[in-house]
């Protein structure tokens, strides 16, 4: 009986150790994933101050569309970015991949305001062949000294 | 683009002069019977003109896809411009021909709906096709040239000649094939330098077998909202319009002298801003009846959806999600108006709000004149830039270029080439000057596919539809949806220079001017059938008939336009 208990105890310790190991390996992916979801939730909720902590996509592109905003006024640029881009909440993460020690790639779906799946089709007279309809979008998240940053901007529909 | 295949436009808004025209006997009755069954149309307009209670009768249905069905190029998403059949034609023996443009072919059906085969058309890109005299004429891009191809009814190419529009300093965009007042086959094009349409002569009526002139018809403008139709000096009909914004077209006559006319009238800001009525006149000039083509019922817009049989019976092609129906229109003695222009001033369509246009409250609300808008829009069109192979780069290694689809006009170029305008770039917001500077800095021109957002305005340069309107309005970059935040809804018949026709999530066009038939617009778009290019992706100037906008586009003006 005591021997059986010892074996069970040993198994338990091994399983726990393995679990802890896996948990350690995945924690960065999970944190990157959380950062991605949080970033889009904050943008969607107009909490641009907080969203700024997760913004890694730069401001040059955003500033290009609003040259009257100072390049240093990141809050104003992020606010404007949600006029230009679709700041929607994450609906699903279809896949996640660790590209390197500090780079993660997610394939993301978004929800429209009415809860339906966000779909982006061809624009401006283009054909499906030229601009295929998309429902999932790739997002890179980088691990930096200050935390996890979302490197890509929200979806754009002309 | 007139809705009727052989339509010729006789009068536009506020035209005061009498437009004297002669109708041509068009040889539907002599079409070749080589391949088509000898069947008569199954209906006669004489049977039902006054008693008809339904607007049309379905003759038969056409499936979607496959060998015998109509082709839809893309559909099933809310943000797209689907493409389908472009034209319905009828031979004298009652055979229906559907120009299945998305599949580069003609579909043939007997009058009872039996599929009779296809005719594959010989060009890499087809623009339009029409029956003229005994034969088919096709405008297509073949061996780096736009050509008029003359085909027998069994598809044999009889000859093919390059199309040569008059010299112009502007871009020339194809609108439609049609028959003009003299009975000649012409290609209507829009010339951006003239900001107007021009008819390019293709085939003279004198060269078409059995073509003959018919009785002269005059459209006389009695006043701003009343037209008279005169035949041989006698008034046969008086038509009152609800608005001054209307058009009246007369179609080539049948051999017995019967003919059809079509009136279009811009009404209000509803989903159907145009009242569209076909009028059928007998050989004696008497009005036999009227019908309203069910254009708004179309699942996918058909530019030339109505045609007449040799006996004057009117037919229409109605597209549906599962295919298409061929219907016979019921003629009626009178039609009640579907929409009457609102007496309400355009500005009252939305709540009256005082807008601060100083730019202090909102930097995107600054007074902008219509002439400044036109000047800016034309600056795009008149731009000319020599592009290197790097600028046109087709296969670039960077992440930003990975998804790039080079603008169509670059395809096949092997050396530095000068291009007009500014190319289309998904997400682009460049002015002509910044585009030119970007090219001098070895950046890449345009992207007709979708771009990574991070790449906009960095490695690529160009402009998309909403970016173009944003620049013309002199506001921050906006989208087709967010432009509405700076817009006021207006009556369609009040559209003026600098206003927009917007289809949020899909496309936006900048209006130059309108007439009873359609609108002249500037737009940044792709796939424009332009002279000198198979397709052109970038800022262009075009004319669209109202049917193109039905049920999709709404009219707006910039809140601070002056």
């Amino acid at each position: 009986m005591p021997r059986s208990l010892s074996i069970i105890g040993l198994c338990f310790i091994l399983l726990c150790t393995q679990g802890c190991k896996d948990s350690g390996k995945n924690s960065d992916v999970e944190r990157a994933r959380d950062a991605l979801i949080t970033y889009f939730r904050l943008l969607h909720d107009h909490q641009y101050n907080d969203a700024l902590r997760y913004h890694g996509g730069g401001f040059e592109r955003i500033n290009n569309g609003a040259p009257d905003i100072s390049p240093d006024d990141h809050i104003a640029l992020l606010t404007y970015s949600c006029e230009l881009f679709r700041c929607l909440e994450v609906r699903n993460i279809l896949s996640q991949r660790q590209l390197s020690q500090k780079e993660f790639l997610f394939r993301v779906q978004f929800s429209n305001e009415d809860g339906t799946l966000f779909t982006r089709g061809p624009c401006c007279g283009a054909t499906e062949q030229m601009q295929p309809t998309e429902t999932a979008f790739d997002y890179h998240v980088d691990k930096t000294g200050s935390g996890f940053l979302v490197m890509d901007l929200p979806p754009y529909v002309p | 683009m007139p809705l009727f295949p052989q339509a010729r436009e006789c009068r536009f808004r506020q035209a005061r002069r009498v437009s004297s025209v002669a109708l041509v006997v068009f040889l539907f009755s002599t079409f070749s019977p080589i391949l088509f069954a000898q069947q008569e149309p199954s209906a006669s307009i004489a049977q039902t003109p006054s008693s008809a209670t339904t607007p049309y009768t379905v003759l038969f249905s056409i499936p979607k896809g496959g060998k015998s069905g109509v082709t839809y190029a893309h559909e099933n998403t809310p943000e797209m411009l689907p493409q389908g059949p472009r034209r319905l034609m009828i031979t004298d023996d009652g055979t229906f021909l559907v120009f299945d443009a998305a599949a580069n072919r003609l579909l043939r059906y007997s009058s009872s709906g039996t599929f009779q085969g296809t005719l594959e058309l010989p060009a890499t890109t087809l623009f339009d096709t029409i029956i003229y005299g005994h034969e088919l004429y096709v405008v297509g891009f073949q061996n780096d040239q736009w050509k008029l191809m003359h085909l027998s009814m069994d598809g044999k190419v009889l000859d093919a000649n390059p199309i040569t529009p008059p010299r112009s300093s502007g871009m020339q965009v194809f609108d439609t094939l049609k028959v003009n007042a003299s009975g000649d086959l012409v290609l209507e094009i829009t010339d951006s330098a003239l900001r107007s349409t021009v008819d390019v002569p293709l085939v003279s009526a004198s060269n078409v077998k059995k073509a003959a002139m018919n009785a002269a018809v005059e459209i006389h403008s009695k006043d701003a909202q009343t037209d008279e139709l005169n035949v041989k000096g006698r008034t046969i009909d008086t038509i009152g319009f609800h608005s001054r914004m209307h058009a009246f077209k007369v179609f080539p006559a049948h051999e017995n002298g019967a003919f059809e006319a079509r009136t279009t009238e811009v009404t209000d800001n509803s989903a159907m801003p145009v009242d569209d009525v076909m009028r059928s006149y007998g050989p004696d000039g008497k009005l036999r009846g009227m019908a309203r083509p069910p254009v708004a019922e179309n699942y996918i817009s058909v530019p030339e959806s109505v045609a007449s049989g040799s006996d004057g019976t009117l037919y229409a092609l109605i597209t549906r999600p599962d295919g298409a129906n061929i219907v016979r229109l019921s003629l009626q003695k009178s039609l009640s108006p579907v929409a009457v222009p609102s007496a309400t001033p355009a500005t009252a369509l939305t709540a009256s709000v005082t807008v601060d246009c100083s730019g202090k409250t909102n930097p995107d609300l600054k007074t902008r004149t219509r002439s400044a808008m036109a000047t800016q829009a034309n600056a795009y069109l008149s731009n000319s830039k020599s592009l290197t192979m790097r600028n046109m780069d087709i296969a670039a290694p960077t992440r930003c270029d990975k998804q790039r689809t080079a603008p169509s006009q670059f395809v096949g170029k092997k050396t530095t080439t000068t291009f007009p305008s500014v190319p289309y770039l998904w997400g682009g917001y460049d002015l002509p000057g910044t585009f030119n500077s970007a090219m001098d800095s070895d950046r890449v021109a345009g992207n007709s596919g979708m771009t990574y957002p991070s790449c906009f305005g960095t490695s690529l340069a160009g402009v998309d539809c909403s970016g173009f309107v944003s620049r013309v309005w002199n506001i921050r970059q906006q989208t087709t949806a967010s432009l509405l935040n700076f817009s006021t809804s207006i009556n369609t018949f009040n559209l003026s220079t600098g206003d927009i026709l917007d289809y949020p999530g899909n496309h936006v066009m900048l209006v130059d001017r309108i007439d009873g038939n359609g609108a002249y617009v500037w737009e940044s778009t792709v796939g424009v059938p332009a002279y000198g290019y198979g397709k052109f992706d970038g800022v262009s100037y075009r004319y669209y008939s109202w049917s193109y906008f039905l049920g999709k586009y709404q009219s707006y003006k910039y809140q601070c336009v002056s």
Side-chain angles (χ1 to χ4, degrees), chain B residues 85 106 338:
Chain B
L106 279 174
V338 291

Side-chain angles (χ1 to χ4, degrees), chain A residues 23-33 98 101 104 106 143 148:
Chain A
S23 171
K25 200 198 299 182
N26 289 339
S27 62
D28 277 353
V29 177
E30 293 303 320
R31 289 169 67 195
R33 180 190 176 103
Q98 186 159 2
Q101 209 170 7
F104 306 88
F106 298 89
K143 182 182 180 183
F148 289 84

Side-chain angles (χ1 to χ4, degrees), chain B residues 171-201:
Chain B
M171 192 187 297
Q172 296 169 311
V173 176
F174 297 171
D175 291 338
T176 192
L177 273 172
K178 66 177 187 179
V179 179
N180 71 4
S182 303
D184 303 328
L185 180 63
V186 300
L187 174 64
E188 182 187 282
I189 62 172
T190 309
D191 189 311
S192 67
L194 302 173
R195 286 163 73 177
S196 182
T197 55
V198 175
D199 287 347
V200 180

Side-chain angles (χ1 to χ4, degrees), chain B residues 262-328:
Chain B
R262 188 169 200 165
T263 57
T264 53
E265 180 175 9
V266 181
T267 55
D268 62 12
N269 196 38
S270 67
M272 184 176 179
V274 176
D275 193 7
D276 189 354
V277 175
M278 292 294 305
R279 308 169 79 87
S280 175
Y281 297 91
D284 55 358
K286 284 187 178 169
L287 179 66
R288 296 196 291 189
M290 295 181 282
R292 185 170 280 131
V295 177
E297 288 183 30
N298 274 320
Y299 169 59
I300 289 174
S301 177
V302 183
E304 314 284 0
S305 64
V306 184
S308 67
S310 59
D311 63 350
T313 305
L314 298 174
Y315 301 91
L317 174 73
I318 305 177
T319 54
R320 303 171 57 87
D322 59 352
N325 285 341
I326 299 290
V327 305
R328 184 180 64 237

Side-chain angles (χ1 to χ4, degrees), chain B residues 89-166:
Chain B
M89 296 173 279
I90 305 169
T91 67
D92 183 61
D93 64 10
T95 300
F96 291 90
L97 302 180
V98 176
F99 176 26
D100 194 26
N104 265 17
R105 64 182 184 176
L106 279 174
L107 302 169
R108 297 185 287 209
Y109 305 90
S110 71
S111 57
S112 59
T114 304
F115 178 60
Q116 295 185 323
T118 62
L119 182 62
E120 306 295 330
L121 299 173
T124 52
T125 301
L126 283 179
F127 169 65
D128 202 359
T129 180
I130 196 170
I131 295 175
Y132 183 61
H134 287 283
E135 281 111 12
L136 282 171
Y137 288 84
V138 175
V139 171
F141 196 70
Q142 190 186 51
N143 302 326
D144 282 339
Q145 280 186 313
W146 281 105
K147 290 180 180 174
L148 176 71
M149 286 169 268
H150 175 196
L151 282 71
S152 63
M153 294 302 279
D154 58 357
K156 184 182 173 190
V157 179
L158 302 175
D159 57 61
N161 295 301
I163 292 171
T164 312

Side-chain angles (χ1 to χ4, degrees), chain B residues 201-433:
Chain B
L202 297 178
V203 181
S204 167
S206 60
N207 294 331
V208 180
K209 294 175 214 170
K210 295 184 183 177
M213 301 302 289
N214 199 2
V217 175
E218 291 179 344
I219 296 173
H220 174 65
S221 179
K222 194 174 176 186
D223 58 47
Q225 290 179 226
T226 311
D227 282 355
E228 286 180 345
L229 189 60
N230 300 333
V231 175
K232 295 178 181 175
R234 183 171 62 93
T235 300
I236 63 165
D237 203 359
T238 301
I239 298 115
F241 294 92
H242 293 99
S243 89
R244 293 182 304 164
M245 192 63 66
H246 60 264
F248 197 159
K249 294 185 292 186
V250 178
F251 299 98
H254 301 278
E255 258 188 358
N256 63 1
F259 65 96
E260 291 88 34
R262 188 169 200 165
T263 57
T264 53
E265 180 175 9
V266 181
T267 55
D268 62 12
N269 196 38
S270 67
M272 184 176 179
V274 176
D275 193 7
D276 189 354
V277 175
M278 292 294 305
R279 308 169 79 87
S280 175
Y281 297 91
D284 55 358
K286 284 187 178 169
L287 179 66
R288 296 196 291 189
M290 295 181 282
R292 185 170 280 131
V295 177
E297 288 183 30
N298 274 320
Y299 169 59
I300 289 174
S301 177
V302 183
E304 314 284 0
S305 64
V306 184
S308 67
S310 59
D311 63 350
T313 305
L314 298 174
Y315 301 91
L317 174 73
I318 305 177
T319 54
R320 303 171 57 87
D322 59 352
N325 285 341
I326 299 290
V327 305
R328 184 180 64 237
L329 302 181
S330 303
L331 290 178
Q332 301 182 43
K333 281 189 174 174
S334 64
L335 297 169
S336 55
V338 291
V340 177
S342 167
T344 312
T347 49
L349 280 174
T350 55
S352 178
V353 177
T354 304
V355 178
D356 176 7
C357 290
S358 67
K360 290 174 186 168
T361 311
N362 184 330
D364 286 329
L365 291 174
K366 298 183 294 269
T367 300
R368 182 82 162 159
T369 65
R370 294 188 185 279
S371 65
M373 291 178 181
T375 300
Q376 184 63 75
N378 283 325
Y380 277 90
L381 283 179
S382 60
N383 190 53
S384 176
K385 185 62 183 167
S386 175
L387 302 184
T388 64
M389 290 307 292
R390 167 58 191 161
N391 293 145
M392 291 185 273
D393 201 1
I394 307 284
T398 68
R399 183 183 159 210
C400 286
D401 294 337
K402 193 177 168 187
Q403 284 190 331
R404 178 171 174 266
T405 302
S408 306
Q409 61 268 33
F410 298 167
V411 174
K413 300 298 181 202
K414 292 184 170 58
T415 184
T416 297
T417 307
T418 299
F419 291 95
S421 186
V422 173
Y424 179 87
L425 169 65
W426 169 279
Y429 177 62
D430 282 302
L431 288 161

